[in-house]
Amino acid sequence: MAMHNELWFPSVIWSAVINNVDNGALKKFAYDKIKEDPQGRTISNDKGYQSVDIKPRENAEVDHLVHTLDKEMLEIAQQTGLKMPKIYNIWVNVNYPGSSNNMHHHIGAIFSGVYYVDADPKLNQGNISFERTDNAEYHIAPSAIEKITYFTAQQSNYASSTGGLFVFPGWLKHKVGTNESNKDRISISWNIILRGDYGQPNTCHNL
């Protein structure tokens, strides 16, 4: 008799490749934000750049990206049995050579995500890593593990690549490794809540 299994309380990470946005326009916008506000803000970034929240209609291509992401979120909402979530705030990240992002999570967000505007997995620009936080390490002894699986792993890693999209629960801790290349890695990140709209006053904290 085969045992039936059900995946309760999983830490789901969704991924896709988006091909309908102008990454060149988004890249230009990212550098324009740096010229406009060189300091940006320091939240999780270490030696990199994070912009303040982007406002609706500030940039047409960002608005187009938000529209595209809303369509992706509709599918996620259907999978998870949630009401339609909305992007609440969105910002630019530029990881310069030698920069990284410390381990953090996004308080107040049911989902968070990242889209890679300019990233090359061949250049070792820093993977995004997700950390298991259910204390399984206190129950699964290393000596008991024959191989790393979704059940036994303590961390998952994904390479950054232009056009790549990841969506994950806002409570899932994550970090970005050091950009060891000589080229900037550019991404756009956002928070998603069940109520509220893009551009409303920010109550989500991008820790």
Side-chain angles (χ1 to χ4, degrees), residues 171-186:
W171 57 83
L172 191 59
K173 288 188 175 180
H174 54 287
K175 64 181 180 180
V176 177
T178 302
N179 181 358
E180 297 182 2
S181 76
N182 59 2
K183 180 183 176 184
D184 295 343
R185 190 190 72 168
I186 302 172

Side-chain angles (χ1 to χ4, degrees), residues 97-116:
S99 67
S100 61
N101 292 75
N102 301 317
M103 186 70 73
H104 64 289
H105 61 292
H106 295 230
I107 296 174
I110 189 165
F111 296 113
S112 296
V114 59
Y115 172 74
Y116 293 104

Side-chain angles (χ1 to χ4, degrees), residues 48-119:
Y49 178 84
Q50 286 179 301
S51 75
V52 299
D53 291 344
I54 302 166
K55 299 178 178 65
R57 295 175 294 281
E58 183 176 343
N59 179 270
E61 199 58 33
V62 172
D63 290 342
H64 175 61
L65 175 63
V66 169
H67 180 67
T68 299
L69 296 173
D70 280 341
K71 291 182 179 179
E72 299 291 338
M73 288 310 305
L74 177 59
E75 182 178 346
I76 291 176
Q78 292 170 344
Q79 291 177 13
T80 55
L82 290 169
K83 295 179 180 179
M84 179 57 188
K86 291 286 188 178
I87 288 181
Y88 196 63
N89 64 319
I90 188 166
W91 64 97
V92 165
N93 308 289
V94 180
N95 279 41
Y96 305 124
S99 67
S100 61
N101 292 75
N102 301 317
M103 186 70 73
H104 64 289
H105 61 292
H106 295 230
I107 296 174
I110 189 165
F111 296 113
S112 296
V114 59
Y115 172 74
Y116 293 104
V117 174
D118 190 9

Side-chain angles (χ1 to χ4, degrees), residues 140-147:
I140 304 176
S143 60
I145 299 174
E146 289 191 352
K147 64 178 180 178

Side-chain angles (χ1 to χ4, degrees), residues 10 14 25 99 108 118 138-139 172 193:
W14 290 267
S99 67
D118 190 9
Y138 297 111
H139 304 273
L172 191 59
I193 64 173

Side-chain angles (χ1 to χ4, degrees), residues 110-178:
I110 189 165
F111 296 113
S112 296
V114 59
Y115 172 74
Y116 293 104
V117 174
D118 190 9
D120 188 340
K122 297 178 181 178
L123 295 181
N124 196 16
Q125 293 183 304
N127 292 344
I128 183 169
S129 301
F130 298 93
E131 183 178 273
R132 187 172 186 165
T133 56
D134 58 3
N135 295 322
E137 66 271 19
Y138 297 111
H139 304 273
I140 304 176
S143 60
I145 299 174
E146 289 191 352
K147 64 178 180 178
I148 299 300
T149 65
Y150 290 121
F151 187 79
T152 62
Q154 295 300 312
Q155 190 177 81
S156 61
N157 297 282
Y158 295 87
S160 55
S161 182
T162 300
L165 163 70
F166 295 100
V167 177
F168 47 91
W171 57 83
L172 191 59
K173 288 188 175 180
H174 54 287
K175 64 181 180 180
V176 177
T178 302

